[in-house]
Amino acid sequence: MVFPRLFVALVALAGVQAGVVPSSTDEDETTLVQPVYKPLDLGSVKPLGWFKDQLELEAAGLSGNMFDFYRFVHDSRYIGGSTEYSGLDEASPYWFNGLVPLAFGLGDERIRGQVKYYLDYILDHQQEDGWIGFEATRATRGLWARCLLLLGLIQYAEADPTETERIVDAMHRYVVLAHSMLKNNYTGLLVHGNDTFDTAGFGVGRTHEMHIPMQWLLERYPRNNSQILWEIMDLMIDGGVLWGADWRTFWTDRSYPKVLYETTPFELSWVFIHGVNMAEGLRYPLSLYINSGDEALKAQTRKAVDLLAEYHRSLAGTILADEYISDLNPSRGAELCIATEVMFSSAYIYQYLGDNDIADWAEQTAFNAFPVSVAPDWWSHQYVQQENQPWSRNLSTDDLWWDVNSYANVFGLEPNYPCCTVNHPQAYPKFLANSFATTADGGFAHVFLVPGTAATSLGSDGGNAVFVSANTTYPFGHTITYSISAAEPFDFYVRIPTWADASKSTITSSSGSTNPSTKLRSTSSNTVSPSSQGLQHVSVPAGITTTTLRLSTTPRVVKRANNTAAIYYGALLYALAIEHDTVVLPPVEYRSMRVLPSSTLDPEGRTKDFALTPKEGSRWNVAIDPSQIRVVRRSPSSNGTSTFEKHTDDILEVSPDELENPIWELGAPPVELRVAAVEIDWPIALDTAADPGTFDVKPKGKPFAARFVPYGSSKLHMALLPVLKLDDMDFNV
């Protein structure tokens, strides 16, 4: 990735010698701030239902096959090949960081074989001085990609105890070397002389990414290296500050740009306004807080979340940035890498802050922004999505975006920079791994409500073996049934999303042995009463317990600027469905746009690019009356076709056999909305739908019931629409 032409002048600011902010780490301390919700070691959580279907599709798709052919993985220099896409040398480390949780979360032996080969190669070829990787000179050795490798390594060490000692040995050898490099004028982080490893400055904007693996070593396997582990984190931060990349100066009311145009004054470095950097930079103050316990850094983490949410968070949960932030207009692009990193950052921040709305944010991104940019079969993806996207094709101009090409919203192998190709695989596997967590009081919680199982041991001696199975179609349905087994009593918690109506939502539990006289088990049913952090408590006795949660909600309307609105139902954003025609294209190289050679394509012909255009007669140019919404659900008919019937219950119960596979495809989700709408004259600007507020809204024709579907399932869609008051709609016509 490169920075845009208009920001060339800003890059010069990177060389300004900023005063180094004093270290927040007390090196005499040996403990770190503990999370409110602590995730289990990788492999402890397994997927069920539709989420298992998604991970199986991912494993069978591009993510699980690029190791066999895609040049930036298959021919990576890390495993003896000859290909990297930039001096950052980040491609296969990104892939490794995502494929390790896929392999162990899904339990897929083929994928495990891929990551085991990669692990063996990089550890067997660790250089004598401790360097992990192929680079052999100061000019080419950059620390940034090593952060990704280390993230993959610690996950592997958690999931496979037979490899733990070997991995930890290699990490400590590397840490000693990296520490000596940083002590030598920040070698490997700051570019000096003819260094080529990071001429743009991505690594200095992500210095805190070293913290997670260093903190992991510090807590689990310090090996008398604690002083070095503390210092390496400090040195990374200090080097970034020296360069001008201290996120503590950015996440403030004064510095944060509410909008950003060519004429907007902005005095800080370009690294802060790059969307992927921002998604990762959300965790910067938190990373320092974990080391120091400084409550001001914890508060600043919350401030960062709030600033981004107000000014640059998309309707689907990601950051509107293509690749740089600008405003909230729905023509703006949002890079797939951003959604991937937002999912991880929001989950990570939630674990330490415990704020329920942050967990909602993680789900919002996972169920909307991420799947909309990934093909239903997981073999292609977009580089950027748009909230209002009436077509997905090579546009006639790229002037509507900062630093993205005109091909970027085509579904393909590498429709723009390949970082999204190799980075997006981590999204769903890590989301699964973070979906269950232990609590500070010794309990256990289901926090991201996807279907899955979790096995853990609770109690001070780890003697309470607990197994939880969450059977649900959430977010397509709003009920969850838990089957829980425990050797001893414990406290179980279920997160209640903020959109749920607690006064009408219920939780029912049955446990214990059957009463011989009544033939019934002990059962209790109550209205939910979540804590201030949104957790519903369930006292679980020893033995087998069944608990069912039923969440009540109705569609909700969110108003935006220029008299526009978006519609949500539960955790899902709903958008106008646009049926499309598909044109199959040969995959092209992201820079030259020349057709890629067969040597980097799937030998079975599954790598293709796709342009999507609206079918003739498919209306995208509409205004809506969001006061008139009907919920409908699919009902099979006797002749094998499907019809949709009105749904009136505030609690949406959807059975697993109602979910199609793949689910993120137009027509697959069983619940849709019908919204009163009317066609309008909607102009085109820069070869896409003009932004609302730039034209007068003039209805034409008769109002009709428009079909709204989950945003992630409709690759062409309109999510932010002008609002008009329409006559009462007869939805039965």
Side-chain angles (χ1 to χ4, degrees), residues 29 58 148 197 259 295 302 340 352 354 372 378 400 481 515 524 530 549 579 588 599 615 627 638 696 698:
E29 289 289 332
E58 179 178 2
L148 300 171
F197 59 80
V259 295
E295 290 293 321
R302 181 70 236 194
T340 300
Y352 284 88
V372 81
W378 282 78
L400 72 163
T481 296
N515 185 311
S524 64
L549 174 68
E579 295 189 357
V588 297
S599 59
K615 283 187 176 295
S627 68
S638 57
D696 294 331
K698 298 178 179 179

Side-chain angles (χ1 to χ4, degrees), residues 240-267:
V241 170
L242 190 65
W243 193 90
D246 181 356
W247 288 89
R248 289 167 292 187
T249 67
F250 177 74
W251 296 121
T252 68
D253 288 314
R254 179 180 179 275
S255 297
Y256 188 88
K258 280 64 175 178
V259 295
L260 195 66
Y261 305 117
E262 292 188 31
T263 56
T264 304
F266 184 70
E267 299 176 352

Side-chain angles (χ1 to χ4, degrees), residues 506-522:
T506 62
I507 190 159
T508 303
S509 291
S510 62
S511 59
S513 301
T514 303
N515 185 311
S517 61
T518 64
K519 307 297 184 182
L520 297 174
R521 302 175 74 203
S522 173

Side-chain angles (χ1 to χ4, degrees), residues 66 68-72 74-75 596-603:
M66 68 175 84
D68 296 325
F69 64 83
Y70 188 52
R71 64 196 185 283
F72 297 126
H74 177 71
D75 192 43
L596 283 165
S598 60
S599 59
T600 193
L601 304 179
D602 173 44

Side-chain angles (χ1 to χ4, degrees), residues 344-657:
F344 180 70
S345 286
S346 54
Y348 191 73
I349 292 169
Y350 172 68
Q351 288 164 5
Y352 284 88
L353 270 59
D355 296 341
N356 198 16
D357 65 314
I358 299 177
D360 280 347
W361 181 21
E363 289 193 347
Q364 181 187 21
T365 310
F367 303 146
N368 298 286
F370 181 78
V372 81
S373 280
V374 177
D377 66 358
W378 282 78
W379 271 100
S380 61
H381 64 277
Q382 293 178 295
Y383 189 73
V384 294
Q385 63 183 270
Q386 298 166 283
E387 291 177 347
N388 284 353
Q389 185 172 281
W391 41 79
S392 168
R393 55 169 171 75
N394 192 12
L395 303 179
S396 62
T397 178
D398 62 6
D399 287 347
L400 72 163
W401 295 319
W402 282 124
D403 183 36
V404 172
N405 67 27
S406 61
Y407 198 77
N409 75 352
V410 169
F411 284 83
L413 175 61
E414 52 181 63
N416 209 153
Y417 301 111
C419 53
C420 286
T421 306
V422 290
N423 189 26
H424 82 275
Q426 69 162 306
Y428 270 7
K430 288 189 178 182
F431 189 70
L432 172 73
N434 288 322
S435 61
F436 285 87
T438 57
T439 58
D441 64 356
F444 194 45
H446 190 203
V447 293
F448 303 137
L449 305 182
V450 291
T453 66
T456 190
S457 296
L458 301 178
S460 57
D461 61 352
N464 188 8
V466 171
F467 184 82
V468 178
S469 177
N471 297 284
T472 181
T473 56
Y474 184 92
F476 307 100
H478 299 155
T479 63
I480 309 173
T481 296
Y482 295 96
S483 297
I484 306 171
S485 65
E488 302 171 11
F490 77 100
D491 294 314
F492 182 60
Y493 299 92
V494 185
R495 191 183 68 84
I496 307 300
T498 60
W499 48 259
D501 184 347
S503 68
K504 297 180 181 178
S505 301
T506 62
I507 190 159
T508 303
S509 291
S510 62
S511 59
S513 301
T514 303
N515 185 311
S517 61
T518 64
K519 307 297 184 182
L520 297 174
R521 302 175 74 203
S522 173
T523 301
S524 64
S525 182
N526 298 285
T527 302
V528 300
S529 53
S531 69
S532 59
Q533 292 185 316
L535 293 190
Q536 174 65 40
H537 175 252
V538 180
S539 293
V540 176
I544 306 298
T545 299
T546 300
T547 296
T548 298
L549 174 68
R550 296 164 58 84
L551 298 171
S552 174
T553 193
T554 56
R556 62 192 187 279
V557 176
V558 173
K559 295 182 179 180
R560 283 282 185 95
N562 301 311
N563 195 31
T564 58
I567 301 172
Y568 295 84
Y569 188 29
L572 296 175
L573 170 66
Y574 275 70
L576 178 71
I578 304 173
E579 295 189 357
H580 63 264
D581 293 317
T582 302
V583 177
V584 179
L585 304 167
V588 297
E589 197 271 338
Y590 72 102
R591 290 191 185 278
S592 67
M593 292 291 105
R594 291 192 292 266
V595 174
L596 283 165
S598 60
S599 59
T600 193
L601 304 179
D602 173 44
E604 297 184 27
R606 292 170 292 184
T607 42
K608 299 181 177 71
D609 289 2
F610 300 93
L612 311 180
T613 54
K615 283 187 176 295
E616 185 175 355
S618 184
R619 290 177 284 195
W620 60 267
N621 51 319
V622 304
I624 59 171
D625 181 351
S627 68
Q628 301 188 65
I629 300 174
R630 171 173 287 189
V631 180
V632 297
R633 62 185 301 167
R634 187 167 51 231
S635 176
S637 61
S638 57
N639 61 6
T641 61
S642 295
T643 58
F644 281 84
E645 297 179 351
K646 182 180 180 181
H647 175 80
T648 57
D649 194 338
D650 285 355
I651 294 176
L652 178 62
E653 248 183 298
V654 174
S655 65
D657 58 10

